[in-house]
Amino acid sequence: MKILLKASYLGTHFCGYQVQRDKRTVQGELNRAAKELFGYDCDVTGCSRTDSGVHANMFCLTVTKKGESFLETDIDVARLPRAITAHLPEDVSVYCAEWVNENFHPRYDVKYKEYVYRIYNGAVRDPFLDGRVWHVPQRISEANLENMRLAASKYVGKKDFSAFMAQGSSVESTVREIFYSDVKRDGDVITFRVAADGFLYNMVRIMTGTLVSVAQGKISPCDIEDIISSKSRERAGMTAPPEGLYLNRVEY
């Protein structure tokens, strides 16, 4: 058996999830914490690879003994979240733990992932949200918000999202299925929520940048389907900054 952990982290001061030499990463901190807790080197395998500055409300990962498909520990699973979090820095914590079969994979067994992107639409920046939202100071009217919603709805379906992938990326297939996609406003915060069976590199950030272009009148909601069909990155909007992006939910 192996342990499945659910973690959350603030990505501001991390160089992404994946281990990188001489750089602070989420995986690096989890590797260190697991070794300190269990007393031996571990393999920590995550459900995704978030970029520098990207956050996670729910990030799933498995922990096994290094080079093995199992974990040896006498620690009760109910105590594991508090036990391992005690070895972690303040910007990452583990809030759930459970045993899973040795053949379970936190990335390949995912049914869908949900991301949220938060836009702060206040006139001046909010220091309490700094690093956790994309500040777009130009007021987005209710009519333009409705255009964003209409544009977001056109993402839904199984489609080739080449136009919403960072240039230079190399993948076997650029087809992804979007299960739902919506935009809501709560005060000055606009949230874009999207779920899919998988995402291309920078896909959610490009989708968000495109929605902001729609709100600013640079792209029409009716253009979204043509942009998707074109498979051209140049047709879509800008890549939104990383600080507003959160991996929000992982479903197995």
PDB file of all heavy atoms in Angstrom, residues 16 18 32 34 47 61-63 72 74 95-96 98 146 165 167 171 191 217-218 221 225-226 231-232 241 245-246:
ATOM      1  N   GLY A  16       7.614  26.567  -8.736  1.00  0.00           N
ATOM      2  CA  GLY A  16       6.773  25.503  -9.246  1.00  0.00           C
ATOM      3  C   GLY A  16       6.761  24.290  -8.344  1.00  0.00           C
ATOM      4  O   GLY A  16       7.366  24.269  -7.261  1.00  0.00           O
ATOM      5  N   GLN A  18       7.599  20.873  -9.346  1.00  0.00           N
ATOM      6  CA  GLN A  18       8.608  19.840  -9.602  1.00  0.00           C
ATOM      7  C   GLN A  18       9.995  20.230  -9.103  1.00  0.00           C
ATOM      8  O   GLN A  18      10.417  21.380  -9.206  1.00  0.00           O
ATOM      9  CB  GLN A  18       8.674  19.527 -11.098  1.00  0.00           C
ATOM     10  CG  GLN A  18       9.484  18.289 -11.435  1.00  0.00           C
ATOM     11  CD  GLN A  18       9.364  17.935 -12.912  1.00  0.00           C
ATOM     12  OE1 GLN A  18       8.885  18.725 -13.718  1.00  0.00           O
ATOM     13  NE2 GLN A  18       9.793  16.751 -13.271  1.00  0.00           N
ATOM     14  N   ARG A  32      11.739  16.402   1.507  1.00  0.00           N
ATOM     15  CA  ARG A  32      12.476  16.597   2.763  1.00  0.00           C
ATOM     16  C   ARG A  32      11.614  16.243   3.963  1.00  0.00           C
ATOM     17  O   ARG A  32      12.062  15.542   4.880  1.00  0.00           O
ATOM     18  CB  ARG A  32      12.942  18.057   2.858  1.00  0.00           C
ATOM     19  CG  ARG A  32      13.684  18.388   4.144  1.00  0.00           C
ATOM     20  CD  ARG A  32      13.867  19.885   4.318  1.00  0.00           C
ATOM     21  NE  ARG A  32      12.622  20.627   4.204  1.00  0.00           N
ATOM     22  CZ  ARG A  32      11.684  20.664   5.141  1.00  0.00           C
ATOM     23  NH1 ARG A  32      11.841  19.988   6.274  1.00  0.00           N
ATOM     24  NH2 ARG A  32      10.577  21.363   4.959  1.00  0.00           N
ATOM     25  N   ALA A  34       8.977  14.262   4.144  1.00  0.00           N
ATOM     26  CA  ALA A  34       8.699  12.824   4.202  1.00  0.00           C
ATOM     27  C   ALA A  34       9.893  12.060   4.766  1.00  0.00           C
ATOM     28  O   ALA A  34       9.732  11.136   5.583  1.00  0.00           O
ATOM     29  CB  ALA A  34       8.341  12.306   2.817  1.00  0.00           C
ATOM     30  N   CYS A  47       0.098  14.972  -8.713  1.00  0.00           N
ATOM     31  CA  CYS A  47      -0.962  14.843  -9.708  1.00  0.00           C
ATOM     32  C   CYS A  47      -0.774  15.792 -10.878  1.00  0.00           C
ATOM     33  O   CYS A  47      -1.454  15.678 -11.899  1.00  0.00           O
ATOM     34  CB  CYS A  47      -2.326  15.091  -9.070  1.00  0.00           C
ATOM     35  SG  CYS A  47      -2.528  16.778  -8.418  1.00  0.00           S
ATOM     36  N   LEU A  61      -0.972  13.786  -4.013  1.00  0.00           N
ATOM     37  CA  LEU A  61       0.341  13.176  -4.219  1.00  0.00           C
ATOM     38  C   LEU A  61       0.430  11.875  -3.439  1.00  0.00           C
ATOM     39  O   LEU A  61      -0.253  11.684  -2.436  1.00  0.00           O
ATOM     40  CB  LEU A  61       1.445  14.132  -3.771  1.00  0.00           C
ATOM     41  CG  LEU A  61       1.339  14.592  -2.316  1.00  0.00           C
ATOM     42  CD1 LEU A  61       2.558  14.152  -1.515  1.00  0.00           C
ATOM     43  CD2 LEU A  61       1.170  16.103  -2.246  1.00  0.00           C
ATOM     44  N   THR A  62       1.248  10.975  -3.942  1.00  0.00           N
ATOM     45  CA  THR A  62       1.496   9.733  -3.226  1.00  0.00           C
ATOM     46  C   THR A  62       2.918   9.728  -2.682  1.00  0.00           C
ATOM     47  O   THR A  62       3.819  10.348  -3.255  1.00  0.00           O
ATOM     48  CB  THR A  62       1.289   8.497  -4.114  1.00  0.00           C
ATOM     49  OG1 THR A  62       2.099   8.611  -5.297  1.00  0.00           O
ATOM     50  CG2 THR A  62      -0.170   8.343  -4.502  1.00  0.00           C
ATOM     51  N   VAL A  63       3.095   9.026  -1.572  1.00  0.00           N
ATOM     52  CA  VAL A  63       4.409   8.870  -0.950  1.00  0.00           C
ATOM     53  C   VAL A  63       4.708   7.385  -0.813  1.00  0.00           C
ATOM     54  O   VAL A  63       3.883   6.631  -0.277  1.00  0.00           O
ATOM     55  CB  VAL A  63       4.466   9.545   0.436  1.00  0.00           C
ATOM     56  CG1 VAL A  63       5.854   9.400   1.042  1.00  0.00           C
ATOM     57  CG2 VAL A  63       4.074  11.011   0.344  1.00  0.00           C
ATOM     58  N   GLU A  72       6.313   2.084   4.366  1.00  0.00           N
ATOM     59  CA  GLU A  72       6.361   1.424   5.670  1.00  0.00           C
ATOM     60  C   GLU A  72       6.300   2.485   6.771  1.00  0.00           C
ATOM     61  O   GLU A  72       7.150   3.360   6.830  1.00  0.00           O
ATOM     62  CB  GLU A  72       7.652   0.612   5.820  1.00  0.00           C
ATOM     63  CG  GLU A  72       7.776  -0.548   4.841  1.00  0.00           C
ATOM     64  CD  GLU A  72       9.124  -1.248   4.947  1.00  0.00           C
ATOM     65  OE1 GLU A  72      10.072  -0.630   5.508  1.00  0.00           O
ATOM     66  OE2 GLU A  72       9.231  -2.388   4.482  1.00  0.00           O
ATOM     67  N   ASP A  74       4.483   3.118  11.021  1.00  0.00           N
ATOM     68  CA  ASP A  74       3.594   2.749  12.125  1.00  0.00           C
ATOM     69  C   ASP A  74       2.690   3.909  12.514  1.00  0.00           C
ATOM     70  O   ASP A  74       1.870   3.780  13.428  1.00  0.00           O
ATOM     71  CB  ASP A  74       4.421   2.321  13.347  1.00  0.00           C
ATOM     72  CG  ASP A  74       5.194   1.026  13.100  1.00  0.00           C
ATOM     73  OD1 ASP A  74       4.688   0.184  12.352  1.00  0.00           O
ATOM     74  OD2 ASP A  74       6.308   0.883  13.658  1.00  0.00           O
ATOM     75  N   TYR A  95      -3.599  18.241   4.478  1.00  0.00           N
ATOM     76  CA  TYR A  95      -4.828  18.240   5.275  1.00  0.00           C
ATOM     77  C   TYR A  95      -5.597  16.926   5.228  1.00  0.00           C
ATOM     78  O   TYR A  95      -6.605  16.762   5.926  1.00  0.00           O
ATOM     79  CB  TYR A  95      -5.749  19.389   4.850  1.00  0.00           C
ATOM     80  CG  TYR A  95      -6.214  19.345   3.410  1.00  0.00           C
ATOM     81  CD1 TYR A  95      -7.349  18.623   3.043  1.00  0.00           C
ATOM     82  CD2 TYR A  95      -5.533  20.025   2.417  1.00  0.00           C
ATOM     83  CE1 TYR A  95      -7.790  18.587   1.740  1.00  0.00           C
ATOM     84  CE2 TYR A  95      -5.954  19.994   1.103  1.00  0.00           C
ATOM     85  CZ  TYR A  95      -7.086  19.274   0.767  1.00  0.00           C
ATOM     86  OH  TYR A  95      -7.502  19.249  -0.544  1.00  0.00           O
ATOM     87  N   CYS A  96      -5.115  15.952   4.428  1.00  0.00           N
ATOM     88  CA  CYS A  96      -5.823  14.666   4.342  1.00  0.00           C
ATOM     89  C   CYS A  96      -4.827  13.575   3.949  1.00  0.00           C
ATOM     90  O   CYS A  96      -3.885  13.829   3.193  1.00  0.00           O
ATOM     91  CB  CYS A  96      -6.947  14.751   3.308  1.00  0.00           C
ATOM     92  SG  CYS A  96      -7.916  13.230   3.124  1.00  0.00           S
ATOM     93  N   GLU A  98      -4.746   9.071   3.171  1.00  0.00           N
ATOM     94  CA  GLU A  98      -5.447   7.793   3.107  1.00  0.00           C
ATOM     95  C   GLU A  98      -4.575   6.759   2.401  1.00  0.00           C
ATOM     96  O   GLU A  98      -3.720   7.093   1.585  1.00  0.00           O
ATOM     97  CB  GLU A  98      -6.787   7.935   2.376  1.00  0.00           C
ATOM     98  CG  GLU A  98      -6.682   8.427   0.952  1.00  0.00           C
ATOM     99  CD  GLU A  98      -8.041   8.660   0.300  1.00  0.00           C
ATOM    100  OE1 GLU A  98      -8.630   7.679  -0.195  1.00  0.00           O
ATOM    101  OE2 GLU A  98      -8.496   9.823   0.289  1.00  0.00           O
ATOM    102  N   GLU A 146     -20.994  39.475 -18.873  1.00  0.00           N
ATOM    103  CA  GLU A 146     -21.859  38.520 -19.570  1.00  0.00           C
ATOM    104  C   GLU A 146     -21.186  38.018 -20.847  1.00  0.00           C
ATOM    105  O   GLU A 146     -21.319  36.842 -21.211  1.00  0.00           O
ATOM    106  CB  GLU A 146     -23.206  39.167 -19.893  1.00  0.00           C
ATOM    107  CG  GLU A 146     -24.281  38.194 -20.342  1.00  0.00           C
ATOM    108  CD  GLU A 146     -24.545  37.091 -19.325  1.00  0.00           C
ATOM    109  OE1 GLU A 146     -24.567  37.390 -18.114  1.00  0.00           O
ATOM    110  OE2 GLU A 146     -24.706  35.929 -19.758  1.00  0.00           O
ATOM    111  N   MET A 165      -2.338  26.788 -26.106  1.00  0.00           N
ATOM    112  CA  MET A 165      -1.156  26.123 -25.577  1.00  0.00           C
ATOM    113  C   MET A 165       0.066  26.989 -25.833  1.00  0.00           C
ATOM    114  O   MET A 165       0.190  27.602 -26.894  1.00  0.00           O
ATOM    115  CB  MET A 165      -0.965  24.755 -26.257  1.00  0.00           C
ATOM    116  CG  MET A 165       0.269  23.993 -25.823  1.00  0.00           C
ATOM    117  SD  MET A 165       0.415  22.386 -26.653  1.00  0.00           S
ATOM    118  CE  MET A 165       0.759  22.919 -28.348  1.00  0.00           C
ATOM    119  N   GLN A 167       3.464  28.297 -27.011  1.00  0.00           N
ATOM    120  CA  GLN A 167       4.243  27.944 -28.195  1.00  0.00           C
ATOM    121  C   GLN A 167       5.516  27.214 -27.792  1.00  0.00           C
ATOM    122  O   GLN A 167       6.143  27.524 -26.780  1.00  0.00           O
ATOM    123  CB  GLN A 167       4.582  29.203 -28.989  1.00  0.00           C
ATOM    124  CG  GLN A 167       3.366  29.838 -29.651  1.00  0.00           C
ATOM    125  CD  GLN A 167       3.707  31.089 -30.430  1.00  0.00           C
ATOM    126  OE1 GLN A 167       4.566  31.863 -30.036  1.00  0.00           O
ATOM    127  NE2 GLN A 167       3.031  31.297 -31.555  1.00  0.00           N
ATOM    128  N   VAL A 171       3.563  17.833 -27.108  1.00  0.00           N
ATOM    129  CA  VAL A 171       2.659  16.837 -26.532  1.00  0.00           C
ATOM    130  C   VAL A 171       2.178  15.907 -27.632  1.00  0.00           C
ATOM    131  O   VAL A 171       2.200  16.262 -28.814  1.00  0.00           O
ATOM    132  CB  VAL A 171       1.440  17.498 -25.850  1.00  0.00           C
ATOM    133  CG1 VAL A 171       1.861  18.289 -24.622  1.00  0.00           C
ATOM    134  CG2 VAL A 171       0.692  18.401 -26.826  1.00  0.00           C
ATOM    135  N   THR A 191     -14.087  35.304 -10.848  1.00  0.00           N
ATOM    136  CA  THR A 191     -13.496  33.970 -10.829  1.00  0.00           C
ATOM    137  C   THR A 191     -13.880  33.198 -12.077  1.00  0.00           C
ATOM    138  O   THR A 191     -15.066  33.060 -12.400  1.00  0.00           O
ATOM    139  CB  THR A 191     -13.952  33.183  -9.591  1.00  0.00           C
ATOM    140  OG1 THR A 191     -13.561  33.896  -8.406  1.00  0.00           O
ATOM    141  CG2 THR A 191     -13.313  31.804  -9.564  1.00  0.00           C
ATOM    142  N   GLY A 217     -13.267  44.144 -25.104  1.00  0.00           N
ATOM    143  CA  GLY A 217     -13.761  44.400 -26.450  1.00  0.00           C
ATOM    144  C   GLY A 217     -12.758  44.111 -27.558  1.00  0.00           C
ATOM    145  O   GLY A 217     -12.997  44.454 -28.717  1.00  0.00           O
ATOM    146  N   LYS A 218     -11.653  43.473 -27.230  1.00  0.00           N
ATOM    147  CA  LYS A 218     -10.637  43.172 -28.233  1.00  0.00           C
ATOM    148  C   LYS A 218     -10.958  41.903 -29.009  1.00  0.00           C
ATOM    149  O   LYS A 218     -10.503  41.714 -30.143  1.00  0.00           O
ATOM    150  CB  LYS A 218      -9.260  43.033 -27.572  1.00  0.00           C
ATOM    151  CG  LYS A 218      -8.788  44.304 -26.860  1.00  0.00           C
ATOM    152  CD  LYS A 218      -7.489  44.061 -26.113  1.00  0.00           C
ATOM    153  CE  LYS A 218      -7.044  45.303 -25.362  1.00  0.00           C
ATOM    154  NZ  LYS A 218      -5.805  45.055 -24.573  1.00  0.00           N
ATOM    155  N   PRO A 221     -17.075  37.352 -28.214  1.00  0.00           N
ATOM    156  CA  PRO A 221     -17.400  35.993 -27.764  1.00  0.00           C
ATOM    157  C   PRO A 221     -17.645  35.046 -28.938  1.00  0.00           C
ATOM    158  O   PRO A 221     -17.347  33.851 -28.854  1.00  0.00           O
ATOM    159  CB  PRO A 221     -18.674  36.189 -26.935  1.00  0.00           C
ATOM    160  CG  PRO A 221     -18.640  37.614 -26.504  1.00  0.00           C
ATOM    161  CD  PRO A 221     -17.969  38.360 -27.612  1.00  0.00           C
ATOM    162  N   GLU A 225     -14.976  30.165 -31.073  1.00  0.00           N
ATOM    163  CA  GLU A 225     -15.007  28.932 -31.852  1.00  0.00           C
ATOM    164  C   GLU A 225     -14.052  28.995 -33.039  1.00  0.00           C
ATOM    165  O   GLU A 225     -13.379  28.013 -33.371  1.00  0.00           O
ATOM    166  CB  GLU A 225     -16.433  28.633 -32.300  1.00  0.00           C
ATOM    167  CG  GLU A 225     -17.347  28.248 -31.138  1.00  0.00           C
ATOM    168  CD  GLU A 225     -18.794  28.085 -31.559  1.00  0.00           C
ATOM    169  OE1 GLU A 225     -19.166  28.633 -32.620  1.00  0.00           O
ATOM    170  OE2 GLU A 225     -19.547  27.422 -30.826  1.00  0.00           O
ATOM    171  N   ASP A 226     -13.970  30.170 -33.674  1.00  0.00           N
ATOM    172  CA  ASP A 226     -13.034  30.337 -34.792  1.00  0.00           C
ATOM    173  C   ASP A 226     -11.592  30.265 -34.312  1.00  0.00           C
ATOM    174  O   ASP A 226     -10.722  29.716 -35.006  1.00  0.00           O
ATOM    175  CB  ASP A 226     -13.273  31.675 -35.499  1.00  0.00           C
ATOM    176  CG  ASP A 226     -14.560  31.681 -36.303  1.00  0.00           C
ATOM    177  OD1 ASP A 226     -15.042  30.579 -36.649  1.00  0.00           O
ATOM    178  OD2 ASP A 226     -15.076  32.779 -36.584  1.00  0.00           O
ATOM    179  N   LYS A 231      -6.438  26.777 -34.493  1.00  0.00           N
ATOM    180  CA  LYS A 231      -5.281  26.115 -33.867  1.00  0.00           C
ATOM    181  C   LYS A 231      -4.063  27.039 -33.818  1.00  0.00           C
ATOM    182  O   LYS A 231      -2.929  26.577 -33.722  1.00  0.00           O
ATOM    183  CB  LYS A 231      -4.921  24.816 -34.595  1.00  0.00           C
ATOM    184  CG  LYS A 231      -6.060  23.812 -34.650  1.00  0.00           C
ATOM    185  CD  LYS A 231      -5.638  22.538 -35.385  1.00  0.00           C
ATOM    186  CE  LYS A 231      -6.802  21.580 -35.546  1.00  0.00           C
ATOM    187  NZ  LYS A 231      -6.425  20.342 -36.263  1.00  0.00           N
ATOM    188  N   SER A 232      -4.317  28.334 -33.846  1.00  0.00           N
ATOM    189  CA  SER A 232      -3.240  29.325 -33.893  1.00  0.00           C
ATOM    190  C   SER A 232      -3.141  30.077 -32.571  1.00  0.00           C
ATOM    191  O   SER A 232      -4.088  30.753 -32.163  1.00  0.00           O
ATOM    192  CB  SER A 232      -3.480  30.326 -35.028  1.00  0.00           C
ATOM    193  OG  SER A 232      -2.554  31.387 -34.973  1.00  0.00           O
ATOM    194  N   PRO A 241      -1.026  36.216 -15.954  1.00  0.00           N
ATOM    195  CA  PRO A 241       0.071  35.932 -15.020  1.00  0.00           C
ATOM    196  C   PRO A 241      -0.257  34.754 -14.104  1.00  0.00           C
ATOM    197  O   PRO A 241      -1.434  34.445 -13.879  1.00  0.00           O
ATOM    198  CB  PRO A 241       0.218  37.243 -14.242  1.00  0.00           C
ATOM    199  CG  PRO A 241      -1.087  37.940 -14.408  1.00  0.00           C
ATOM    200  CD  PRO A 241      -1.615  37.545 -15.752  1.00  0.00           C
ATOM    201  N   LEU A 245      -3.810  31.880 -10.525  1.00  0.00           N
ATOM    202  CA  LEU A 245      -4.227  30.513 -10.872  1.00  0.00           C
ATOM    203  C   LEU A 245      -4.111  29.568  -9.680  1.00  0.00           C
ATOM    204  O   LEU A 245      -3.103  29.557  -8.975  1.00  0.00           O
ATOM    205  CB  LEU A 245      -3.365  30.000 -12.028  1.00  0.00           C
ATOM    206  CG  LEU A 245      -3.698  28.603 -12.566  1.00  0.00           C
ATOM    207  CD1 LEU A 245      -5.131  28.541 -13.091  1.00  0.00           C
ATOM    208  CD2 LEU A 245      -2.713  28.218 -13.663  1.00  0.00           C
ATOM    209  N   TYR A 246      -5.158  28.742  -9.496  1.00  0.00           N
ATOM    210  CA  TYR A 246      -5.204  27.762  -8.411  1.00  0.00           C
ATOM    211  C   TYR A 246      -5.668  26.411  -8.954  1.00  0.00           C
ATOM    212  O   TYR A 246      -6.706  26.336  -9.624  1.00  0.00           O
ATOM    213  CB  TYR A 246      -6.205  28.177  -7.335  1.00  0.00           C
ATOM    214  CG  TYR A 246      -5.908  29.474  -6.639  1.00  0.00           C
ATOM    215  CD1 TYR A 246      -6.091  30.700  -7.293  1.00  0.00           C
ATOM    216  CD2 TYR A 246      -5.461  29.500  -5.322  1.00  0.00           C
ATOM    217  CE1 TYR A 246      -5.824  31.903  -6.657  1.00  0.00           C
ATOM    218  CE2 TYR A 246      -5.204  30.707  -4.674  1.00  0.00           C
ATOM    219  CZ  TYR A 246      -5.386  31.902  -5.345  1.00  0.00           C
ATOM    220  OH  TYR A 246      -5.119  33.091  -4.716  1.00  0.00           O
TER     221      TYR A 246
END
